[in-house]
Amino acid sequence: MRKNIVAGNWKMNTTMQEGVALADQIKNLLIKSPNCEVVLCVPFTHLTSIAQTVNGSIIAIGAENCSDKESGAYTGEISAAMVRSTGAKYVIIGHSERRTYYGETAEILKEKVLLALKNDLIPVFCIGEVKEERQADKQNDIVKAQLEKSVFNLSVDDFSKIVFAYEPVWAIGTGLTATPEQAQQMHACIRQLIAEKYGNTIAQNTSILYGGSCNAQNAATLFANHDVDGGLIGSASLKATDFKAIIDAI
């Protein structure tokens, strides 16, 4: 059975001290084990301290990115091995903000996925269309191309380790959200594309999260869809009570 996951993506927010305090708040709110895996994807500077803060709890830690290079003279870059050494379990790869603002190509993302897997990290691989592509009804073609160019090269064993996040780019930070019907249609499409490449068993065991202005008010209706296995949560993950409400919604 595939895993339900609620992952927070803090982005470039909180100082290390603020981040540790927030992680501690979230940990203390999760008195009972939730019906999902909880992940906090935090800035590089926070990883070790927050890993120590949540140690012994049900919370897993993830990074928001990693380099496409293994090591070497790449000033300012953080390798997958470095991420893993902090105690992190997950890493977000291919977020639309990385694709848009930093020009990350399908080939770069392909290398990042390979290095994450080599270092025993679970990639949370993001896919999704921009507003113009949705208006042109090209969203299915877009996610198909994103899968084919970056992850459909993997072996069955490696592919089975990946978590996906469908993020309609037009809904990230805009206050817009895909309707439950739109989310289900896209998640079902992604699962079908996986089934055509790797078989139905792999497809049915692959977790596909929704990302795109998911919050405490709409989480339950989004998560009620058969093919939506949780969420990659942005701004709502920066408030402990809101994040807890989303976890409860699953």
PDB file of all heavy atoms in Angstrom, residues 166-199:
ATOM      1  N   TYR A 166       2.396  16.764  -7.375  1.00  0.00           N
ATOM      2  CA  TYR A 166       1.797  17.526  -8.474  1.00  0.00           C
ATOM      3  C   TYR A 166       1.528  18.933  -7.978  1.00  0.00           C
ATOM      4  O   TYR A 166       0.790  19.141  -7.011  1.00  0.00           O
ATOM      5  CB  TYR A 166       0.500  16.879  -8.954  1.00  0.00           C
ATOM      6  CG  TYR A 166      -0.300  17.826  -9.842  1.00  0.00           C
ATOM      7  CD1 TYR A 166       0.221  18.261 -11.057  1.00  0.00           C
ATOM      8  CD2 TYR A 166      -1.537  18.324  -9.439  1.00  0.00           C
ATOM      9  CE1 TYR A 166      -0.465  19.167 -11.854  1.00  0.00           C
ATOM     10  CE2 TYR A 166      -2.239  19.216 -10.234  1.00  0.00           C
ATOM     11  CZ  TYR A 166      -1.703  19.638 -11.438  1.00  0.00           C
ATOM     12  OH  TYR A 166      -2.379  20.541 -12.218  1.00  0.00           O
ATOM     13  N   GLU A 167       2.145  19.899  -8.632  1.00  0.00           N
ATOM     14  CA  GLU A 167       1.940  21.298  -8.250  1.00  0.00           C
ATOM     15  C   GLU A 167       1.491  22.100  -9.462  1.00  0.00           C
ATOM     16  O   GLU A 167       2.300  22.386 -10.349  1.00  0.00           O
ATOM     17  CB  GLU A 167       3.215  21.888  -7.645  1.00  0.00           C
ATOM     18  CG  GLU A 167       4.522  21.543  -8.373  1.00  0.00           C
ATOM     19  CD  GLU A 167       5.687  22.401  -7.929  1.00  0.00           C
ATOM     20  OE1 GLU A 167       5.608  22.987  -6.849  1.00  0.00           O
ATOM     21  OE2 GLU A 167       6.667  22.499  -8.682  1.00  0.00           O
ATOM     22  N   PRO A 168       0.220  22.429  -9.528  1.00  0.00           N
ATOM     23  CA  PRO A 168      -0.212  23.373 -10.568  1.00  0.00           C
ATOM     24  C   PRO A 168       0.466  24.709 -10.283  1.00  0.00           C
ATOM     25  O   PRO A 168       0.165  25.349  -9.280  1.00  0.00           O
ATOM     26  CB  PRO A 168      -1.727  23.440 -10.390  1.00  0.00           C
ATOM     27  CG  PRO A 168      -1.980  22.991  -8.974  1.00  0.00           C
ATOM     28  CD  PRO A 168      -0.878  22.061  -8.609  1.00  0.00           C
ATOM     29  N   VAL A 169       1.387  25.095 -11.135  1.00  0.00           N
ATOM     30  CA  VAL A 169       2.229  26.260 -10.844  1.00  0.00           C
ATOM     31  C   VAL A 169       1.382  27.509 -10.660  1.00  0.00           C
ATOM     32  O   VAL A 169       1.715  28.394  -9.856  1.00  0.00           O
ATOM     33  CB  VAL A 169       3.282  26.452 -11.962  1.00  0.00           C
ATOM     34  CG1 VAL A 169       4.193  27.633 -11.654  1.00  0.00           C
ATOM     35  CG2 VAL A 169       4.114  25.179 -12.133  1.00  0.00           C
ATOM     36  N   TRP A 170       0.263  27.570 -11.337  1.00  0.00           N
ATOM     37  CA  TRP A 170      -0.626  28.729 -11.240  1.00  0.00           C
ATOM     38  C   TRP A 170      -1.300  28.829  -9.868  1.00  0.00           C
ATOM     39  O   TRP A 170      -1.922  29.845  -9.549  1.00  0.00           O
ATOM     40  CB  TRP A 170      -1.694  28.671 -12.335  1.00  0.00           C
ATOM     41  CG  TRP A 170      -2.325  27.319 -12.513  1.00  0.00           C
ATOM     42  CD1 TRP A 170      -1.895  26.309 -13.334  1.00  0.00           C
ATOM     43  CD2 TRP A 170      -3.484  26.797 -11.849  1.00  0.00           C
ATOM     44  NE1 TRP A 170      -2.703  25.207 -13.224  1.00  0.00           N
ATOM     45  CE2 TRP A 170      -3.694  25.473 -12.332  1.00  0.00           C
ATOM     46  CE3 TRP A 170      -4.365  27.323 -10.913  1.00  0.00           C
ATOM     47  CZ2 TRP A 170      -4.747  24.677 -11.888  1.00  0.00           C
ATOM     48  CZ3 TRP A 170      -5.415  26.528 -10.461  1.00  0.00           C
ATOM     49  CH2 TRP A 170      -5.593  25.226 -10.953  1.00  0.00           C
ATOM     50  N   ALA A 171      -1.149  27.803  -9.038  1.00  0.00           N
ATOM     51  CA  ALA A 171      -1.778  27.812  -7.723  1.00  0.00           C
ATOM     52  C   ALA A 171      -0.780  27.978  -6.585  1.00  0.00           C
ATOM     53  O   ALA A 171      -1.171  27.944  -5.421  1.00  0.00           O
ATOM     54  CB  ALA A 171      -2.570  26.523  -7.511  1.00  0.00           C
ATOM     55  N   ILE A 172       0.492  28.155  -6.896  1.00  0.00           N
ATOM     56  CA  ILE A 172       1.510  28.244  -5.843  1.00  0.00           C
ATOM     57  C   ILE A 172       1.659  29.686  -5.390  1.00  0.00           C
ATOM     58  O   ILE A 172       2.066  30.554  -6.153  1.00  0.00           O
ATOM     59  CB  ILE A 172       2.864  27.688  -6.334  1.00  0.00           C
ATOM     60  CG1 ILE A 172       2.725  26.213  -6.676  1.00  0.00           C
ATOM     61  CG2 ILE A 172       3.939  27.889  -5.282  1.00  0.00           C
ATOM     62  CD1 ILE A 172       3.968  25.621  -7.292  1.00  0.00           C
ATOM     63  N   GLY A 173       1.292  29.930  -4.136  1.00  0.00           N
ATOM     64  CA  GLY A 173       1.432  31.262  -3.558  1.00  0.00           C
ATOM     65  C   GLY A 173       0.473  32.290  -4.118  1.00  0.00           C
ATOM     66  O   GLY A 173       0.612  33.480  -3.835  1.00  0.00           O
ATOM     67  N   THR A 174      -0.508  31.838  -4.898  1.00  0.00           N
ATOM     68  CA  THR A 174      -1.443  32.779  -5.518  1.00  0.00           C
ATOM     69  C   THR A 174      -2.781  32.843  -4.794  1.00  0.00           C
ATOM     70  O   THR A 174      -3.585  33.728  -5.062  1.00  0.00           O
ATOM     71  CB  THR A 174      -1.722  32.369  -6.979  1.00  0.00           C
ATOM     72  OG1 THR A 174      -2.371  31.084  -6.985  1.00  0.00           O
ATOM     73  CG2 THR A 174      -0.438  32.305  -7.786  1.00  0.00           C
ATOM     74  N   GLY A 175      -3.008  31.877  -3.899  1.00  0.00           N
ATOM     75  CA  GLY A 175      -4.303  31.773  -3.259  1.00  0.00           C
ATOM     76  C   GLY A 175      -5.284  30.946  -4.067  1.00  0.00           C
ATOM     77  O   GLY A 175      -6.338  30.566  -3.576  1.00  0.00           O
ATOM     78  N   LEU A 176      -4.936  30.678  -5.329  1.00  0.00           N
ATOM     79  CA  LEU A 176      -5.753  29.788  -6.148  1.00  0.00           C
ATOM     80  C   LEU A 176      -5.418  28.347  -5.797  1.00  0.00           C
ATOM     81  O   LEU A 176      -4.302  28.034  -5.399  1.00  0.00           O
ATOM     82  CB  LEU A 176      -5.474  30.027  -7.634  1.00  0.00           C
ATOM     83  CG  LEU A 176      -5.760  31.425  -8.180  1.00  0.00           C
ATOM     84  CD1 LEU A 176      -5.266  31.527  -9.622  1.00  0.00           C
ATOM     85  CD2 LEU A 176      -7.252  31.727  -8.097  1.00  0.00           C
ATOM     86  N   THR A 177      -6.390  27.486  -5.949  1.00  0.00           N
ATOM     87  CA  THR A 177      -6.176  26.065  -5.686  1.00  0.00           C
ATOM     88  C   THR A 177      -6.887  25.275  -6.770  1.00  0.00           C
ATOM     89  O   THR A 177      -7.976  25.651  -7.203  1.00  0.00           O
ATOM     90  CB  THR A 177      -6.767  25.662  -4.317  1.00  0.00           C
ATOM     91  OG1 THR A 177      -6.303  26.570  -3.319  1.00  0.00           O
ATOM     92  CG2 THR A 177      -6.361  24.249  -3.934  1.00  0.00           C
ATOM     93  N   ALA A 178      -6.270  24.197  -7.214  1.00  0.00           N
ATOM     94  CA  ALA A 178      -6.985  23.298  -8.118  1.00  0.00           C
ATOM     95  C   ALA A 178      -8.230  22.787  -7.400  1.00  0.00           C
ATOM     96  O   ALA A 178      -8.203  22.546  -6.188  1.00  0.00           O
ATOM     97  CB  ALA A 178      -6.083  22.140  -8.522  1.00  0.00           C
ATOM     98  N   THR A 179      -9.312  22.631  -8.120  1.00  0.00           N
ATOM     99  CA  THR A 179     -10.499  22.035  -7.506  1.00  0.00           C
ATOM    100  C   THR A 179     -10.186  20.579  -7.182  1.00  0.00           C
ATOM    101  O   THR A 179      -9.264  19.981  -7.757  1.00  0.00           O
ATOM    102  CB  THR A 179     -11.694  22.084  -8.461  1.00  0.00           C
ATOM    103  OG1 THR A 179     -11.403  21.254  -9.611  1.00  0.00           O
ATOM    104  CG2 THR A 179     -11.987  23.507  -8.922  1.00  0.00           C
ATOM    105  N   PRO A 180     -10.938  19.984  -6.254  1.00  0.00           N
ATOM    106  CA  PRO A 180     -10.733  18.554  -5.981  1.00  0.00           C
ATOM    107  C   PRO A 180     -10.814  17.709  -7.251  1.00  0.00           C
ATOM    108  O   PRO A 180     -10.061  16.744  -7.412  1.00  0.00           O
ATOM    109  CB  PRO A 180     -11.852  18.224  -5.002  1.00  0.00           C
ATOM    110  CG  PRO A 180     -12.103  19.513  -4.285  1.00  0.00           C
ATOM    111  CD  PRO A 180     -11.929  20.577  -5.337  1.00  0.00           C
ATOM    112  N   GLU A 181     -11.701  18.089  -8.162  1.00  0.00           N
ATOM    113  CA  GLU A 181     -11.855  17.346  -9.417  1.00  0.00           C
ATOM    114  C   GLU A 181     -10.610  17.497 -10.294  1.00  0.00           C
ATOM    115  O   GLU A 181     -10.136  16.531 -10.903  1.00  0.00           O
ATOM    116  CB  GLU A 181     -13.093  17.835 -10.171  1.00  0.00           C
ATOM    117  CG  GLU A 181     -14.423  17.533  -9.487  1.00  0.00           C
ATOM    118  CD  GLU A 181     -14.729  18.456  -8.325  1.00  0.00           C
ATOM    119  OE1 GLU A 181     -14.105  19.543  -8.229  1.00  0.00           O
ATOM    120  OE2 GLU A 181     -15.587  18.088  -7.486  1.00  0.00           O
ATOM    121  N   GLN A 182     -10.064  18.715 -10.383  1.00  0.00           N
ATOM    122  CA  GLN A 182      -8.843  18.935 -11.165  1.00  0.00           C
ATOM    123  C   GLN A 182      -7.668  18.176 -10.563  1.00  0.00           C
ATOM    124  O   GLN A 182      -6.858  17.568 -11.284  1.00  0.00           O
ATOM    125  CB  GLN A 182      -8.516  20.431 -11.221  1.00  0.00           C
ATOM    126  CG  GLN A 182      -9.428  21.247 -12.120  1.00  0.00           C
ATOM    127  CD  GLN A 182      -9.163  22.732 -11.999  1.00  0.00           C
ATOM    128  OE1 GLN A 182      -8.878  23.246 -10.911  1.00  0.00           O
ATOM    129  NE2 GLN A 182      -9.242  23.451 -13.125  1.00  0.00           N
ATOM    130  N   ALA A 183      -7.571  18.196  -9.234  1.00  0.00           N
ATOM    131  CA  ALA A 183      -6.481  17.482  -8.569  1.00  0.00           C
ATOM    132  C   ALA A 183      -6.578  15.983  -8.831  1.00  0.00           C
ATOM    133  O   ALA A 183      -5.588  15.342  -9.192  1.00  0.00           O
ATOM    134  CB  ALA A 183      -6.512  17.762  -7.065  1.00  0.00           C
ATOM    135  N   GLN A 184      -7.766  15.428  -8.679  1.00  0.00           N
ATOM    136  CA  GLN A 184      -7.937  14.002  -8.901  1.00  0.00           C
ATOM    137  C   GLN A 184      -7.629  13.622 -10.354  1.00  0.00           C
ATOM    138  O   GLN A 184      -6.955  12.616 -10.617  1.00  0.00           O
ATOM    139  CB  GLN A 184      -9.360  13.572  -8.542  1.00  0.00           C
ATOM    140  CG  GLN A 184      -9.750  12.167  -8.967  1.00  0.00           C
ATOM    141  CD  GLN A 184      -8.838  11.071  -8.416  1.00  0.00           C
ATOM    142  OE1 GLN A 184      -8.217  11.239  -7.382  1.00  0.00           O
ATOM    143  NE2 GLN A 184      -8.758   9.945  -9.128  1.00  0.00           N
ATOM    144  N   GLN A 185      -8.084  14.443 -11.295  1.00  0.00           N
ATOM    145  CA  GLN A 185      -7.843  14.137 -12.709  1.00  0.00           C
ATOM    146  C   GLN A 185      -6.348  14.093 -13.003  1.00  0.00           C
ATOM    147  O   GLN A 185      -5.862  13.185 -13.677  1.00  0.00           O
ATOM    148  CB  GLN A 185      -8.533  15.190 -13.590  1.00  0.00           C
ATOM    149  CG  GLN A 185      -8.465  14.909 -15.077  1.00  0.00           C
ATOM    150  CD  GLN A 185      -7.204  15.456 -15.751  1.00  0.00           C
ATOM    151  OE1 GLN A 185      -6.683  16.502 -15.354  1.00  0.00           O
ATOM    152  NE2 GLN A 185      -6.706  14.754 -16.751  1.00  0.00           N
ATOM    153  N   MET A 186      -5.598  15.050 -12.464  1.00  0.00           N
ATOM    154  CA  MET A 186      -4.165  15.094 -12.741  1.00  0.00           C
ATOM    155  C   MET A 186      -3.420  13.982 -12.021  1.00  0.00           C
ATOM    156  O   MET A 186      -2.502  13.372 -12.579  1.00  0.00           O
ATOM    157  CB  MET A 186      -3.596  16.456 -12.358  1.00  0.00           C
ATOM    158  CG  MET A 186      -3.971  17.559 -13.329  1.00  0.00           C
ATOM    159  SD  MET A 186      -3.502  17.183 -15.052  1.00  0.00           S
ATOM    160  CE  MET A 186      -1.753  16.882 -14.896  1.00  0.00           C
ATOM    161  N   HIS A 187      -3.799  13.699 -10.796  1.00  0.00           N
ATOM    162  CA  HIS A 187      -3.133  12.618 -10.059  1.00  0.00           C
ATOM    163  C   HIS A 187      -3.414  11.268 -10.727  1.00  0.00           C
ATOM    164  O   HIS A 187      -2.517  10.427 -10.825  1.00  0.00           O
ATOM    165  CB  HIS A 187      -3.604  12.603  -8.603  1.00  0.00           C
ATOM    166  CG  HIS A 187      -2.964  13.659  -7.756  1.00  0.00           C
ATOM    167  ND1 HIS A 187      -2.273  13.383  -6.600  1.00  0.00           N
ATOM    168  CD2 HIS A 187      -2.898  15.007  -7.903  1.00  0.00           C
ATOM    169  CE1 HIS A 187      -1.816  14.501  -6.080  1.00  0.00           C
ATOM    170  NE2 HIS A 187      -2.191  15.505  -6.860  1.00  0.00           N
ATOM    171  N   ALA A 188      -4.627  11.087 -11.198  1.00  0.00           N
ATOM    172  CA  ALA A 188      -4.964   9.843 -11.911  1.00  0.00           C
ATOM    173  C   ALA A 188      -4.177   9.745 -13.216  1.00  0.00           C
ATOM    174  O   ALA A 188      -3.720   8.660 -13.602  1.00  0.00           O
ATOM    175  CB  ALA A 188      -6.461   9.781 -12.183  1.00  0.00           C
ATOM    176  N   CYS A 189      -4.010  10.878 -13.893  1.00  0.00           N
ATOM    177  CA  CYS A 189      -3.225  10.912 -15.135  1.00  0.00           C
ATOM    178  C   CYS A 189      -1.773  10.517 -14.857  1.00  0.00           C
ATOM    179  O   CYS A 189      -1.195   9.697 -15.585  1.00  0.00           O
ATOM    180  CB  CYS A 189      -3.291  12.308 -15.747  1.00  0.00           C
ATOM    181  SG  CYS A 189      -2.140  12.580 -17.120  1.00  0.00           S
ATOM    182  N   ILE A 190      -1.199  11.086 -13.810  1.00  0.00           N
ATOM    183  CA  ILE A 190       0.190  10.766 -13.451  1.00  0.00           C
ATOM    184  C   ILE A 190       0.322   9.285 -13.118  1.00  0.00           C
ATOM    185  O   ILE A 190       1.253   8.610 -13.569  1.00  0.00           O
ATOM    186  CB  ILE A 190       0.644  11.636 -12.262  1.00  0.00           C
ATOM    187  CG1 ILE A 190       0.700  13.103 -12.687  1.00  0.00           C
ATOM    188  CG2 ILE A 190       2.004  11.168 -11.731  1.00  0.00           C
ATOM    189  CD1 ILE A 190       0.731  14.087 -11.529  1.00  0.00           C
ATOM    190  N   ARG A 191      -0.636   8.760 -12.374  1.00  0.00           N
ATOM    191  CA  ARG A 191      -0.577   7.346 -11.994  1.00  0.00           C
ATOM    192  C   ARG A 191      -0.699   6.444 -13.226  1.00  0.00           C
ATOM    193  O   ARG A 191      -0.038   5.416 -13.325  1.00  0.00           O
ATOM    194  CB  ARG A 191      -1.673   7.027 -10.972  1.00  0.00           C
ATOM    195  CG  ARG A 191      -1.312   5.821 -10.096  1.00  0.00           C
ATOM    196  CD  ARG A 191      -2.338   5.570  -9.000  1.00  0.00           C
ATOM    197  NE  ARG A 191      -2.506   6.668  -8.079  1.00  0.00           N
ATOM    198  CZ  ARG A 191      -1.646   6.977  -7.100  1.00  0.00           C
ATOM    199  NH1 ARG A 191      -0.542   6.268  -6.948  1.00  0.00           N
ATOM    200  NH2 ARG A 191      -1.889   7.993  -6.291  1.00  0.00           N
ATOM    201  N   GLN A 192      -1.516   6.867 -14.177  1.00  0.00           N
ATOM    202  CA  GLN A 192      -1.663   6.085 -15.396  1.00  0.00           C
ATOM    203  C   GLN A 192      -0.384   6.107 -16.233  1.00  0.00           C
ATOM    204  O   GLN A 192       0.019   5.083 -16.797  1.00  0.00           O
ATOM    205  CB  GLN A 192      -2.840   6.626 -16.225  1.00  0.00           C
ATOM    206  CG  GLN A 192      -3.093   5.875 -17.529  1.00  0.00           C
ATOM    207  CD  GLN A 192      -3.366   4.400 -17.325  1.00  0.00           C
ATOM    208  OE1 GLN A 192      -4.012   4.000 -16.346  1.00  0.00           O
ATOM    209  NE2 GLN A 192      -2.888   3.557 -18.232  1.00  0.00           N
ATOM    210  N   LEU A 193       0.269   7.264 -16.295  1.00  0.00           N
ATOM    211  CA  LEU A 193       1.541   7.361 -17.012  1.00  0.00           C
ATOM    212  C   LEU A 193       2.596   6.454 -16.372  1.00  0.00           C
ATOM    213  O   LEU A 193       3.374   5.796 -17.073  1.00  0.00           O
ATOM    214  CB  LEU A 193       2.030   8.808 -17.017  1.00  0.00           C
ATOM    215  CG  LEU A 193       1.213   9.793 -17.866  1.00  0.00           C
ATOM    216  CD1 LEU A 193       1.615  11.220 -17.555  1.00  0.00           C
ATOM    217  CD2 LEU A 193       1.392   9.499 -19.359  1.00  0.00           C
ATOM    218  N   ILE A 194       2.611   6.405 -15.059  1.00  0.00           N
ATOM    219  CA  ILE A 194       3.538   5.520 -14.352  1.00  0.00           C
ATOM    220  C   ILE A 194       3.208   4.063 -14.641  1.00  0.00           C
ATOM    221  O   ILE A 194       4.100   3.242 -14.883  1.00  0.00           O
ATOM    222  CB  ILE A 194       3.506   5.810 -12.839  1.00  0.00           C
ATOM    223  CG1 ILE A 194       4.035   7.216 -12.553  1.00  0.00           C
ATOM    224  CG2 ILE A 194       4.318   4.767 -12.068  1.00  0.00           C
ATOM    225  CD1 ILE A 194       3.823   7.694 -11.129  1.00  0.00           C
ATOM    226  N   ALA A 195       1.922   3.744 -14.655  1.00  0.00           N
ATOM    227  CA  ALA A 195       1.494   2.365 -14.929  1.00  0.00           C
ATOM    228  C   ALA A 195       1.918   1.933 -16.330  1.00  0.00           C
ATOM    229  O   ALA A 195       2.355   0.790 -16.532  1.00  0.00           O
ATOM    230  CB  ALA A 195      -0.016   2.245 -14.763  1.00  0.00           C
ATOM    231  N   GLU A 196       1.798   2.834 -17.286  1.00  0.00           N
ATOM    232  CA  GLU A 196       2.176   2.491 -18.666  1.00  0.00           C
ATOM    233  C   GLU A 196       3.669   2.232 -18.786  1.00  0.00           C
ATOM    234  O   GLU A 196       4.096   1.421 -19.619  1.00  0.00           O
ATOM    235  CB  GLU A 196       1.761   3.638 -19.599  1.00  0.00           C
ATOM    236  CG  GLU A 196       0.254   3.760 -19.764  1.00  0.00           C
ATOM    237  CD  GLU A 196      -0.163   5.032 -20.478  1.00  0.00           C
ATOM    238  OE1 GLU A 196       0.737   5.807 -20.907  1.00  0.00           O
ATOM    239  OE2 GLU A 196      -1.376   5.271 -20.610  1.00  0.00           O
ATOM    240  N   LYS A 197       4.466   2.877 -17.944  1.00  0.00           N
ATOM    241  CA  LYS A 197       5.923   2.722 -18.002  1.00  0.00           C
ATOM    242  C   LYS A 197       6.417   1.588 -17.106  1.00  0.00           C
ATOM    243  O   LYS A 197       7.252   0.780 -17.523  1.00  0.00           O
ATOM    244  CB  LYS A 197       6.581   4.040 -17.588  1.00  0.00           C
ATOM    245  CG  LYS A 197       8.109   3.984 -17.493  1.00  0.00           C
ATOM    246  CD  LYS A 197       8.768   3.761 -18.841  1.00  0.00           C
ATOM    247  CE  LYS A 197      10.287   3.771 -18.701  1.00  0.00           C
ATOM    248  NZ  LYS A 197      10.965   3.534 -19.997  1.00  0.00           N
ATOM    249  N   TYR A 198       5.892   1.506 -15.878  1.00  0.00           N
ATOM    250  CA  TYR A 198       6.450   0.579 -14.894  1.00  0.00           C
ATOM    251  C   TYR A 198       5.477  -0.494 -14.416  1.00  0.00           C
ATOM    252  O   TYR A 198       5.862  -1.348 -13.610  1.00  0.00           O
ATOM    253  CB  TYR A 198       6.953   1.365 -13.675  1.00  0.00           C
ATOM    254  CG  TYR A 198       8.193   2.174 -13.961  1.00  0.00           C
ATOM    255  CD1 TYR A 198       8.114   3.547 -14.204  1.00  0.00           C
ATOM    256  CD2 TYR A 198       9.453   1.580 -14.005  1.00  0.00           C
ATOM    257  CE1 TYR A 198       9.254   4.296 -14.473  1.00  0.00           C
ATOM    258  CE2 TYR A 198      10.595   2.322 -14.271  1.00  0.00           C
ATOM    259  CZ  TYR A 198      10.490   3.680 -14.500  1.00  0.00           C
ATOM    260  OH  TYR A 198      11.616   4.414 -14.777  1.00  0.00           O
ATOM    261  N   GLY A 199       4.247  -0.430 -14.889  1.00  0.00           N
ATOM    262  CA  GLY A 199       3.268  -1.434 -14.483  1.00  0.00           C
ATOM    263  C   GLY A 199       2.345  -0.937 -13.387  1.00  0.00           C
ATOM    264  O   GLY A 199       2.680  -0.007 -12.645  1.00  0.00           O
TER     265      GLY A 199
END
